[in-house]
Amino acid sequence: MNRQSLTNNQRVGGIDLYLKRIFALMFGAVGLTAVAAYLTIWGGGLQYLINFHTGGMSALYYILLFGGLALSIWAQVRVFNMKPASAALLLALYAVLIGVTMTPLIASALAVNPASILMAFIIAALMFACMALFGYKTVKDLSFLGIFLMMGMIGLILIGLLSFIWPGMMGGTFGTIVCFIGVLVFALFTAYDMQNLKRAYAVIGDDNQKNQLAVLGALHLYISFIAMFQYLLSLFNRE
């Protein structure tokens, strides 16, 4: 076996370990989210997240929701200045916060259509797997999607914020369209991020940076998966 073949084999083996690390972190975060949601619902924590007098969310819910958003942004900005273990710890904390803030949606689905939770999870998992594989395998450059996906995500965040002020705006056809767009945006984000993670591995030589990038990649893929699950669950339980 010549030197070129050895180098290629090392590169393939290296990227396999890199991707395994990313998916281990990502699915670990999904597991933490599920456990946090379960413990919050069955431990009686839902009463602290919902204001039963007004029918809206409590102040604690908004603190956790926006705290989680701020944590994810800060982690993405600072990840290359942290030790990989510290970055992974932040990912775990973020996953727990998401699990807690997801409980009103999950509790609503449990009351109306419990089977929709499993259905949304399976469909989100299948879509995620297909789009991740597509992003990894395709030779087509997906970088052109970046600006459109970012604009779409910002639009979805703004609509989400406005829905807190005017809850009725998410009803009817408009809410259904938003859910479909949300699923599409984060499905495409999965493919886009996978291609970027593959390319980044090829240009980053430092092992510590690769470990940091693995945590960042796990965070991005986790956000896409959870967002698809949430939009699908909302779609299946629309009135």
Side-chain angles (χ1 to χ4, degrees):
M1 184 177 293
N2 59 36
R3 182 177 300 178
Q4 183 65 39
S5 298
L6 284 172
T7 302
N8 289 338
N9 289 337
Q10 289 172 349
R11 184 185 65 80
V12 172
I15 197 169
D16 285 346
L17 291 174
Y18 165 74
L19 291 175
K20 286 179 181 178
R21 187 178 300 115
I22 289 174
F23 286 115
L25 288 167
M26 180 228 160
F27 288 119
V30 171
L32 281 175
T33 297
V35 171
Y38 175 84
L39 293 177
T40 302
I41 292 174
W42 299 111
L46 198 60
Q47 63 183 314
Y48 301 107
L49 301 176
I50 298 177
N51 187 329
F52 292 99
H53 296 292
T54 64
M57 300 302 173
S58 68
L60 176 61
Y61 174 85
Y62 290 112
I63 290 172
L64 295 176
L65 178 67
F66 291 110
L69 179 61
L71 178 64
S72 70
I73 294 172
W74 185 80
Q76 291 178 69
V77 171
R78 299 289 299 171
V79 67
F80 289 108
N81 295 314
M82 300 180 194
K83 293 181 179 179
S86 299
L89 183 61
L90 287 182
L91 173 60
L93 176 59
Y94 177 65
V96 170
L97 290 175
I98 291 296
V100 173
T101 55
M102 278 177 57
T103 52
L105 175 62
I106 294 175
S108 177
L110 283 170
V112 177
N113 182 14
S116 64
I117 298 174
L118 180 60
M119 187 185 307
F121 183 85
I122 291 173
I123 294 175
L126 290 173
M127 290 183 66
F128 177 87
C130 291
M131 296 305 291
L133 183 62
F134 172 75
Y136 182 77
K137 292 291 188 179
T138 185
V139 295
K140 182 176 178 59
D141 185 2
L142 302 179
S143 59
F144 73 95
L145 289 174
I147 183 65
F148 299 106
L149 293 176
M150 189 59 63
M151 290 172 61
M153 185 174 66
I154 292 172
L156 290 168
I157 291 173
L158 291 176
I159 290 172
L161 293 176
L162 289 174
S163 70
F164 291 134
I165 303 173
W166 298 291
M169 72 176 290
M170 288 300 290
T173 303
F174 178 75
T176 301
I177 292 173
V178 169
C179 288
F180 274 116
I181 292 174
V183 173
L184 176 62
V185 166
F186 286 100
L188 291 173
F189 251 126
T190 301
Y192 174 80
D193 285 333
M194 274 300 298
Q195 186 175 81
N196 283 342
L197 288 168
K198 179 182 178 181
R199 289 177 173 176
Y201 179 86
V203 298
I204 294 179
D206 183 80
D207 287 340
N208 188 61
Q209 286 188 328
K210 287 179 179 177
N211 289 332
Q212 292 167 326
L213 183 63
V215 180
L216 180 62
L219 174 60
H220 284 182
L221 295 177
Y222 166 83
I223 290 172
S224 293
F225 177 80
I226 291 297
M228 282 193 287
F229 170 74
Q230 288 179 303
Y231 280 115
L232 285 167
L233 189 58
S234 296
L235 188 63
F236 294 154
N237 289 279
R238 299 193 60 75
E239 297 179 358

